[in-house]
């Protein structure tokens, strides 16, 4: 699953730590999600989408291999 | 926006400072093994029991204490580590006697302490390796 968190963060000028604080996870978790090493739960995906005032579908997209 | 950093799916764990207490306990246990000859405890088996139990207690405290930020990814790593430890224990119990039969000494079994200790070591190795990959 691909995501555009890094791009969205850059748009809003947020650091990984700031985003992590906003969605109540560790900075390492945000880093892992951005690097496609960890797939977040639905709740976390919704929280991230809410921070970026966007939808989950706009931020997370399925790949053919999923 | 959110303030609670504890993942509610994680079972209740010990406070983070138990990691340090567990580490100190494990170091004490290792020191007991290293300096067992100098200890005033006469019975060598008592020294072994004391050392092993302290080591298990120390590792268990490290394993069962929560991280400062216990989020869903740490829970996932914890679950994977526990699964590995369980598979390790099952493999030890099933495969070890077969190896002993093939290579001799078929009556030597894993003691419960050895099994629990190896499970804790496996859990800690996989857990910290998983966190290191983050």
């Amino acid at each position: 699953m691909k995501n555009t968190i890094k791009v969205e963060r850059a748009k809003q000028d947020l650091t990984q730590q700031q985003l992590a604080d906003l969605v109540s996870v560790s900075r390492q978790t945000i880093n892992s999600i951005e690097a496609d090493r960890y797939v977040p739960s639905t709740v976390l995906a919704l929280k991230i989408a809410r921070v970026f005032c966007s939808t989950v579908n706009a931020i997370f997209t399925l790949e053919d291999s999923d | 926006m959110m303030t609670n950093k504890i993942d509610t799916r994680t079972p209740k764990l010990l406070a983070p400072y138990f990691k340090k207490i567990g580490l100190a306990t494990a170091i004490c246990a290792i020191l007991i093994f290293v300096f067992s000859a100098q200890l005033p405890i006469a019975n060598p088996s008592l020294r072994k029991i004391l050392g092993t139990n302290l080591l298990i207690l120390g590792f268990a405290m490290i394993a069962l204490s929560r991280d400062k930020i216990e989020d869903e990814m740490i829970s996932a790593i914890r679950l994977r580590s526990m699964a590995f430890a369980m598979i390790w224990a099952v493999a030890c119990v099933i495969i070890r006697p077969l190896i002993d039969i093939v290579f001799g000494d078929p009556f030597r079994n894993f003691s419960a302490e050895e099994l629990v200790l190896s499970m804790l070591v496996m859990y800690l190795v996989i857990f910290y390796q998983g966190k290191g990959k983050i």
Side-chain angles (χ1 to χ4, degrees), chain B residues 5-6 13 15 18 23 37 42 46 51 62-63 69 77 79-80 94 121 125 133:
Chain B
K5 287 202 173 190
I6 297 171
L13 296 167
F18 271 93
L23 189 64
L46 189 65
I62 297 169
I69 300 174
I77 296 171
L79 178 65
R80 194 179 62 186
I94 291 172
V121 169
V125 167
K133 280 181 184 171

Side-chain angles (χ1 to χ4, degrees), chain B residues 54-70:
Chain B
L54 272 179
L55 201 58
I56 290 172
L57 185 68
F59 283 168
M61 278 197 274
I62 297 169
L64 299 176
S65 57
R66 67 172 187 269
D67 277 25
K68 279 180 184 164
I69 300 174
E70 187 79 25

Side-chain angles (χ1 to χ4, degrees), chain B residues 50-121:
Chain B
L50 185 69
T52 309
N53 286 359
L54 272 179
L55 201 58
I56 290 172
L57 185 68
F59 283 168
M61 278 197 274
I62 297 169
L64 299 176
S65 57
R66 67 172 187 269
D67 277 25
K68 279 180 184 164
I69 300 174
E70 187 79 25
D71 61 10
E72 62 176 55
M73 193 170 68
I74 294 294
S75 295
I77 296 171
R78 216 176 267 291
L79 178 65
R80 194 179 62 186
S81 311
M82 283 188 179
F84 267 102
M86 178 63 86
I87 291 165
W88 169 259
V90 171
C92 281
V93 169
I94 291 172
I95 296 169
R96 176 74 183 271
L98 298 176
I99 293 170
D100 286 346
I101 288 167
V102 172
F103 295 103
D105 197 12
F107 300 107
R108 192 194 175 281
N109 287 321
F110 246 155
S111 69
E113 288 86 355
E114 284 173 326
L115 188 63
V116 170
L117 199 55
S118 70
M119 279 179 78
L120 285 169
V121 169

